[in-house]
Amino acid sequence: MKKIKKSIYAVLIGILSLSVVGCSSKEEKSQLQAIKDKGVLTIGTSADYPPYEFHKEINGKDTIVGFEMMMAEEIAKELGVKLDIKDMKFDGLLGALKSGNVDMVVAGMSPTEERKKAVNFTDIYYNGEHVILVKEQSKNKYKSIDDLKNTKIAVQKASLQENIAKDIIKANDIKSLGKISDVILALQNNNVDAVVVSKEAIDGYLKQYPQIVVSQVNLGENKEEGSAIAVNKTDDKTLILEVNKVINNLKDKGKINEYVQQATQLAQ
């Protein structure tokens, strides 16, 4: 009887040991390997931000395009996987990343100190300029940051522009909206006095709404910010290192500026 009990214990210990080994192997799988195993790189973006990412009808089909999507295609190609793009509101992107619904966030996102507490970022691949837009009739009314403090300003929710409105302009009345198109429309409809946006994202909107113009307000050195790709926060750096290789290769070859020019033309 004792021998039987010992045998049972031995079997149980063996099963438990295999379970632990199985769990450990799953935990040890890198972010990079997990993506390669499933054969798909799923990215989250907010496709209302030309020339970064935006919707365009290509051959009769609604397609998400933009210079960051060109970059994402190159990253997926280098990893040997397919690219899957999920479009959502900007303020929901990091939540989707943390919950595992996407592998990366590619959305003109700046690696602020606050965001770095929650996620990891790749190297910066593009520096964009931020501007203030106002109505034509108000252009001479707003010439400095001080002129904007008591105005109503619209920005994209959870964006760097929201931080600029709060920390640089120190505006008293900020309206945070889900999409850039909503921000521009708020100005067009006179629901706000000004908006803070990326300079690269405004060409199409300025053509669509000729009453809207770039103000004379200078945001100083803070107008220059970089964009980087966000991935889940972990000690595993395999994915970051691989993506950085692609980013730096594209930068060295001048491809990113080329992509920006192509996407800008496509957005017009």
Side-chain angles (χ1 to χ4, degrees), residues 22-92:
C23 292
S24 297
S25 62
K26 287 182 181 178
E27 291 173 358
E28 289 171 2
K29 183 182 288 188
S30 70
Q31 290 177 315
L32 177 61
Q33 192 59 49
I35 291 168
K36 288 186 175 183
D37 285 351
K38 69 178 180 177
V40 178
L41 171 63
T42 304
I43 67 166
T45 194
S46 185
D48 63 340
Y49 202 50
Y52 290 74
E53 45 271 332
F54 55 100
H55 287 267
K56 182 81 173 183
E57 188 172 303
I58 307 291
N59 297 324
K61 181 182 178 181
D62 179 59
T63 308
I64 297 176
V65 296
F67 87 84
E68 287 189 324
M69 299 301 98
M70 297 178 192
M71 282 179 47
E73 287 282 3
E74 287 299 317
I75 292 169
K77 181 180 177 181
E78 187 65 28
L79 298 184
V81 298
K82 294 180 181 179
L83 180 66
D84 177 36
I85 303 171
K86 290 189 176 182
D87 186 18
M88 60 192 75
K89 288 185 178 181
F90 189 84
D91 61 326

Side-chain angles (χ1 to χ4, degrees), residues 138-152:
S138 303
K139 187 174 182 179
N140 293 325
K141 183 178 179 181
Y142 307 117
K143 296 182 179 180
S144 69
I145 289 176
D146 287 339
D147 294 334
L148 292 168
K149 287 183 179 179
N150 295 317
T151 62
K152 183 179 288 187

Side-chain angles (χ1 to χ4, degrees), residues 147-211:
D147 294 334
L148 292 168
K149 287 183 179 179
N150 295 317
T151 62
K152 183 179 288 187
I153 295 179
V155 293
Q156 187 176 35
K157 189 176 181 180
S159 69
L160 186 64
Q161 291 84 28
E162 186 176 55
N163 292 338
I164 290 173
K166 291 177 179 176
D167 303 331
I168 306 303
I169 299 173
K170 300 187 187 301
N172 295 320
D173 193 348
I174 300 171
K175 190 171 186 178
S176 298
L177 303 172
K179 297 182 177 180
I180 288 291
S181 54
D182 295 335
V183 171
I184 300 294
L185 198 58
L187 178 60
Q188 171 66 17
N189 292 338
N190 298 313
N191 293 326
V192 296
D193 303 301
V195 300
V196 188
V197 292
S198 166
K199 185 177 181 180
E200 289 81 8
I202 64 175
D203 286 349
Y205 293 116
L206 293 181
K207 290 179 180 179
Q208 186 177 356
Y209 304 111
Q211 306 95 329

Side-chain angles (χ1 to χ4, degrees), residues 3 13 42 51 60 68 135-136 155 160 175 187 231 235 252:
K3 288 183 179 180
I13 290 170
T42 304
E68 287 189 324
K135 281 297 197 63
E136 173 71 44
V155 293
L160 186 64
K175 190 171 186 178
L187 178 60
V231 302
D235 291 334
D252 290 343

Side-chain angles (χ1 to χ4, degrees), residues 207-227:
K207 290 179 180 179
Q208 186 177 356
Y209 304 111
Q211 306 95 329
I212 295 177
V213 297
V214 178
S215 77
Q216 302 174 52
V217 177
N218 187 346
L219 291 172
E221 294 182 359
N222 292 290
K223 68 184 179 182
E224 291 293 331
E225 294 291 344
S227 296

Side-chain angles (χ1 to χ4, degrees), residues 9-22:
Y9 292 152
V11 170
L12 289 173
I13 290 170
I15 292 171
L16 287 171
S17 298
L18 288 172
S19 299
V20 170
V21 170

